[in-house]
Amino acid sequence: MTATVTTSGSRAIEVRDLHKTFGKNEVLKGIDFHVDSGQVVCVIGPSGSGKSTLLRCVNRLEEPTSGRILVEGIDITDPETDLDAVRSRIGMVFQQFNLFPHMSVLKNLTIAQKRVKKRSTAEAVEIARRNLAKVGLAEREDAYPAHLSGGQQQRVAIARALSMDPDMMLFDEPTSALDPELVGDVLAVMKDLASEGMTMMVVTHEMGFAREVGDKLVFMDGGVIVEEGDPREVLASPQHERTQAFLSKVL
């Protein structure tokens, strides 16, 4: 299949007039949005605002009702596009860890490498061990998910995504299922990735992370982008009254 390629400079992700409807419920109402290569873009907003739906549309886990989504210039809403090839460039980390409970940590990290990337066992293990070390879990490769804390499981999930050599990472509220004392270890791994130049789109409630690490902050409400800008400026002095009301409750 041939893909439609549209030049969009250094933009890793570009969303144009995106709409998503579930039945009669319009969840996304004409979103225009982009993430530049090497940027960390944090998306915040109340529950039901459409932020996770936007993220899932970027990876086509949800099918857009209308609009266009470009990943590294390739239109993934074009039916001719090889979606699996584009998805192989995108790492995804969910709120729930989605690890295989019957497999060790190491096998969780090697199975997709071997099946999708066609790597040998030796190569897959070497890459898996390197990424486990990156997230601080080199000594837990033989453990099973049930024997790990939630924070450790999420770090394994990040290492699994990194083992597929993605160009960018999507995080869907990666710390919201964790006990508060476990959040810091996961955010530290994400900060390290950002410092290495990984392109990241992060749906999050962690305002401190957005302020410290984010290059752009996007506030969504009611299926639209209400406000966006430098995280420090938006958090310190939001311009829109809806943003002001939301931040007054969460900060």
Side-chain angles (χ1 to χ4, degrees):
M1 289 185 178
T2 58
T4 299
V5 178
T6 303
T7 301
S8 55
S10 63
R11 289 187 175 172
I13 300 166
E14 188 166 4
V15 174
R16 301 176 182 173
D17 194 28
L18 182 66
H19 292 256
K20 176 61 183 176
T21 302
F22 294 99
K24 294 182 179 179
N25 183 23
E26 189 177 16
V27 177
L28 300 178
K29 303 174 182 177
I31 299 290
D32 291 293
F33 169 87
H34 69 270
V35 180
D36 290 336
S37 295
Q39 263 193 333
V40 177
V41 177
C42 296
V43 184
I44 66 170
S47 296
S49 59
K51 16 181 229 305
S52 289
T53 300
L54 170 61
L55 191 87
R56 291 171 66 84
C57 283
V58 167
N59 204 17
R60 285 281 302 277
L61 293 174
E62 296 287 357
E63 192 69 25
T65 303
S66 64
R68 297 177 69 197
I69 301 168
L70 287 80
V71 174
E72 296 182 328
I74 298 172
D75 186 351
I76 65 168
T77 52
D78 183 340
E80 295 297 309
T81 294
D82 184 345
L83 196 54
D84 287 337
V86 178
R87 277 186 178 144
S88 70
R89 307 179 188 185
I90 305 172
M92 185 94 183
V93 178
F94 299 90
Q95 181 175 343
Q96 303 300 330
F97 322 121
N98 296 335
L99 301 176
F100 294 114
H102 62 290
M103 293 183 182
S104 69
V105 164
L106 191 64
K107 285 192 175 180
N108 265 282
L109 266 67
T110 57
I111 184 170
Q113 290 190 67
K114 293 195 285 187
R115 290 185 178 178
V116 178
K117 294 284 191 180
K118 308 301 183 187
R119 289 172 177 157
S120 67
T121 297
E123 183 183 12
V125 167
E126 180 184 351
I127 290 168
R129 285 176 171 157
R130 185 166 68 235
N131 284 302
L132 283 173
K134 183 190 286 272
V135 302
L137 291 171
E139 76 287 355
R140 303 310 303 271
E141 68 173 53
D142 294 325
Y144 285 78
H147 300 141
L148 302 176
S149 70
Q152 289 172 329
Q153 289 185 61
Q154 191 62 293
R155 284 188 280 154
V156 170
I158 293 171
R160 178 179 59 184
L162 291 174
S163 294
M164 301 299 285
D165 296 329
D167 295 340
M168 64 195 75
M169 293 280 286
L170 308 181
F171 293 87
D172 189 6
E173 302 194 21
T175 60
S176 62
L178 302 179
D179 292 332
E181 68 269 21
L182 303 176
V183 168
D185 290 339
V186 173
L187 293 181
V189 169
M190 295 170 64
K191 289 175 186 176
D192 287 344
L193 289 178
S195 70
E196 294 169 4
M198 175 65 77
T199 304
M200 295 162 61
M201 178 178 170
V202 185
V203 172
T204 186
H205 294 293
E206 301 292 339
M207 301 301 160
F209 174 85
R211 182 187 292 109
E212 182 181 348
V213 181
D215 297 301
K216 181 165 68 173
L217 184 68
V218 174
F219 173 68
M220 290 184 66
D221 189 37
V224 300
I225 292 175
V226 175
E227 187 168 347
E228 62 180 293
D230 181 280
R232 289 147 290 279
E233 293 177 5
V234 174
L235 292 172
S237 54
Q239 300 302 300
H240 195 282
E241 61 181 16
R242 184 67 191 91
T243 320
Q244 295 167 5
F246 175 77
L247 290 176
S248 70
K249 294 177 181 177
V250 300
L251 290 178

